[in-house]
Amino acid sequence: MAEAKTVTAPSPETGPSPEQRHPWLTLLAVSLGVIMVMLDGTVVAIANPVIATDLKASLADLQWVTSGYLLALAVFLITAGKLGDLFGHKMIFLVGVAGFALSSLAIGLSSSVGMLIALRVLQGLFGAMLQPAALALLRVAFPGERLKTAMGAWGGIIGLSSAAGPIVGGLLVEHVSWQSVFFINVPVGAVALAVGLWVLVESRAQTLSKVDWLGVVLLSLTMFSLVWAIIKAPEWGWGDPLTIAFLAATVVIGTAFVWWQSRAAEPLVPLSLFGNASVSIGTGLMVLVAFSMFGAMFFLTFFFQGVHGLSPMDSGLRMLPMSAGMIFASPLAAVLIGKLGPRVTISGGMLVTALAMFLLSRLSLDAAFIDSAIPFVLLAFGLSPVFVGATEIIVGNSPEELSGVAGGVQQSAMQVGGALGTAILGAIVSARVADVYPQHWADAKLPALPPAQAEPLKALAQYGNAPTAQQMPGIPEQVVQGIADVSHLSFLDGMHLGFTVSTAVAVLAAVFALFVRAGRKTADAPIHMG
């Protein structure tokens, strides 16, 4: 497959040269577009507990609010890059910005959790258009060595937006509404669209590639079947025919996907890419680290808001140390990888991540700010080497002609890991809560309740919530408090198990990292951040 090269010369299609179109305004436009995606990932986590109450969403529903979005990103990233080659990266970027903003507006107007999940998937599809197109547009606006300066500034902007996410989300949810965390994308998208229409220079590949639509469909169905089975298994039972049917469908359709990729003229994911062991291990590392991070962090907002009773704003402040730490950790990780190489740096980072997860698995009911701040800072410095080093491992060890696809695979692996982590750890936590709830109830010597009353209470415990005295009229206050204690203790047991599993996954990733090797040194290797 020939390498697709970007057209940068002025033409009737591309318009004026980059120097005539304010390259720093190009940076502003693409940054605003990607900032929407970055903010969305953190502010939605803060909003989840309120969404659960307002839309009467179950834990499985909330898992799909996250997993549906991540899966759409994962499956469509590579395809979106090829669409940019075919139709122009400016066009795809602007369509992505407009679609992301409009789908965000529709999400805020959702009247049911089913509608919200469907729109989150649509939002993920548009979000996938932004990342590869943004990188291509930056290469046009900042040729040669100037690209490094632009990427440094872009990384800083994205880092700051990630750090601001918990605070912005907390302020909006607490003082406006959960819908406002989606509405905020509308003005940001409008500015990005206006600036983009004015300053962006069109670019497309000279060697046009076809989109492997059958590959997209097969991969989408494979991932959907797997995640659906994992999320629903706690409700259906792992031995239930429906669970087994979806797992079987995952194997069958996944096998068909691999078969088709080995025969397609221009496959979505060329299997030859994984002939290099370091590429395969690096991709696996991205899955494992995202599994550990996204899956575990999914439950922390429920812990802060449900168990601790913190406001959304205070919950955002609790999570700020990790986001802010990334700003300082990422440059340090780049320096360490340059001096020590990716093997030692990434393995050490994953061990630091494992320590952070272990400390989070020890959080108590009355955990203070410092109890979560220390592991959050450790997470920032543990995860950064993986994110920074992924380009060198995956892209650097890939064939030159597949470097763009390799960057897409790296980003997709991260989204797949996040979706699987949310689904699998969600199932583990949910099952643990259901197991320990009756014992905690018995230990508290609470009166037995009929199933019609007991099951809703157990469901509330799965995200750390408990009924208030106003919701249980006629029940003595000490009994209501006892039910709340049972709910919080049960959720804490589930969350502890989730973080323990994340600790084991991080240790496994640290071992895998010892088998990677540094990629080739090339100035042409694309830069992928996320």
Side-chain angles (χ1 to χ4, degrees):
M1 185 172 117
E3 181 179 9
K5 296 183 180 179
T6 302
V7 176
T8 58
S11 70
E13 288 79 17
T14 60
S17 65
E19 290 74 17
Q20 295 173 291
R21 282 293 192 90
H22 310 292
W24 291 104
L25 287 177
T26 297
L27 174 65
L28 172 64
V30 299
S31 295
L32 285 173
V34 177
I35 279 172
M36 289 195 301
V37 180
M38 299 300 294
L39 279 175
D40 203 69
T42 49
V43 299
V44 172
I46 296 293
N48 268 335
V50 183
I51 293 174
T53 302
D54 194 22
L55 296 182
K56 297 179 173 57
S58 67
L59 183 64
D61 292 332
L62 294 176
Q63 286 173 267
W64 270 113
V65 170
T66 298
S67 295
Y69 174 78
L70 293 177
L71 282 179
L73 273 175
V75 172
F76 203 60
L77 269 169
I78 299 174
T79 301
K82 291 191 175 184
L83 289 176
D85 291 342
L86 284 167
F87 302 110
H89 295 291
K90 174 182 178 179
M91 176 186 290
I92 294 301
F93 179 81
L94 294 178
V95 169
V97 167
F100 197 92
L102 290 174
S103 58
S104 297
L105 174 64
I107 289 171
L109 299 174
S110 297
S111 57
S112 69
V113 69
M115 181 179 176
L116 188 151
I117 291 170
L119 288 169
R120 280 282 283 169
V121 172
L122 182 63
Q123 187 187 43
L125 293 176
F126 286 116
M129 294 182 176
L130 298 177
Q131 177 85 348
L135 291 168
L137 291 167
L138 283 178
R139 291 191 194 101
V140 173
F142 294 89
E145 289 297 313
R146 297 175 65 195
L147 179 61
K148 293 180 180 179
T149 303
M151 292 305 297
W154 192 48
I157 291 170
I158 291 175
L160 286 172
S161 68
S162 298
I167 303 300
V168 172
L171 282 170
L172 291 174
V173 173
E174 184 173 344
H175 297 291
V176 187
S177 66
W178 68 262
Q179 290 91 341
S180 64
V181 305
F182 296 102
F183 289 152
I184 193 175
N185 289 327
V186 177
V188 175
V191 174
L193 193 63
V195 177
L197 285 168
W198 175 37
V199 303
L200 294 182
V201 176
E202 186 59 281
S203 67
R204 57 174 56 88
Q206 290 176 341
T207 304
L208 298 181
S209 57
K210 297 179 180 178
V211 177
D212 178 17
W213 290 112
L214 180 57
V216 172
V217 172
L218 290 173
L219 182 59
S220 301
L221 291 175
T222 300
M223 294 307 304
F224 171 80
S225 299
L226 177 61
V227 174
W228 183 265
I230 293 170
I231 288 178
K232 299 298 287 186
E235 175 186 338
W236 292 342
W238 285 99
D240 187 88
L242 276 174
T243 304
I244 295 172
F246 275 99
L247 291 175
T250 300
V251 174
V252 172
I253 303 173
T255 301
F257 172 74
V258 173
W259 176 85
W260 173 247
Q261 295 306 283
S262 67
R263 285 160 176 76
E266 294 189 42
L268 179 66
V269 182
L271 299 183
S272 60
L273 188 67
F274 301 100
N276 184 296
S278 289
V279 174
S280 299
I281 294 172
T283 304
L285 277 174
M286 289 301 297
V287 172
L288 290 176
V289 71
F291 178 103
S292 185
M293 181 184 74
F294 281 95
M297 305 307 287
F298 176 76
F299 292 95
L300 278 173
T301 52
F302 297 112
F303 172 71
F304 290 139
Q305 295 182 40
V307 176
H308 262 293
L310 299 178
S311 67
M313 178 62 188
D314 289 335
S315 297
L317 287 172
R318 285 289 185 104
M319 301 178 75
L320 182 60
M322 184 178 73
S323 302
M326 287 283 190
I327 299 174
F328 303 99
S330 295
L332 176 61
V335 172
L336 290 176
I337 288 175
K339 291 182 177 296
L340 304 176
R343 180 182 302 171
V344 173
T345 310
I346 293 177
S347 184
M350 289 312 304
L351 290 177
V352 173
T353 299
L355 174 60
M357 292 294 181
F358 174 77
L359 292 176
L360 288 171
S361 74
R362 303 293 92 197
L363 287 177
S364 62
L365 287 174
D366 56 351
F369 179 88
I370 192 67
D371 295 324
S372 57
I374 291 175
F376 279 168
V377 171
L378 289 174
L379 273 179
F381 284 87
L383 294 172
S384 291
V386 184
F387 297 142
V388 174
T391 297
E392 183 167 356
I393 293 173
I394 299 175
V395 179
N397 284 292
S398 301
E400 292 280 358
E401 67 273 13
L402 294 179
S403 60
V405 174
V409 167
Q410 168 200 324
Q411 291 295 310
S412 295
M414 182 174 176
Q415 312 306 331
V416 168
L420 290 177
T422 303
I424 293 174
L425 291 181
I428 290 172
V429 172
S430 179
R432 179 63 174 168
V433 171
D435 285 343
V436 301
Y437 191 87
Q439 185 58 52
H440 282 304
W441 188 281
D443 292 342
K445 296 181 173 55
L446 293 173
L449 294 177
Q453 290 180 292
E455 288 305 315
L457 294 177
K458 188 187 295 185
L460 282 176
Q462 291 183 346
Y463 33 78
N465 283 348
T468 63
Q470 290 79 11
Q471 294 170 324
M472 301 189 73
I475 303 296
E477 185 176 341
Q478 63 269 27
V479 173
V480 175
Q481 182 59 51
I483 293 173
D485 292 340
V486 168
S487 177
H488 296 160
L489 287 170
S490 299
F491 178 83
L492 201 62
D493 285 346
M495 190 182 76
H496 284 168
L497 180 59
F499 278 121
T500 300
V501 173
S502 292
T503 301
V505 170
V507 172
L508 180 63
V511 175
F512 279 167
L514 295 175
F515 294 93
V516 303
R517 63 180 176 84
R520 63 180 184 276
K521 304 296 183 184
T522 171
D524 296 326
I527 303 171
H528 295 270
M529 303 179 65

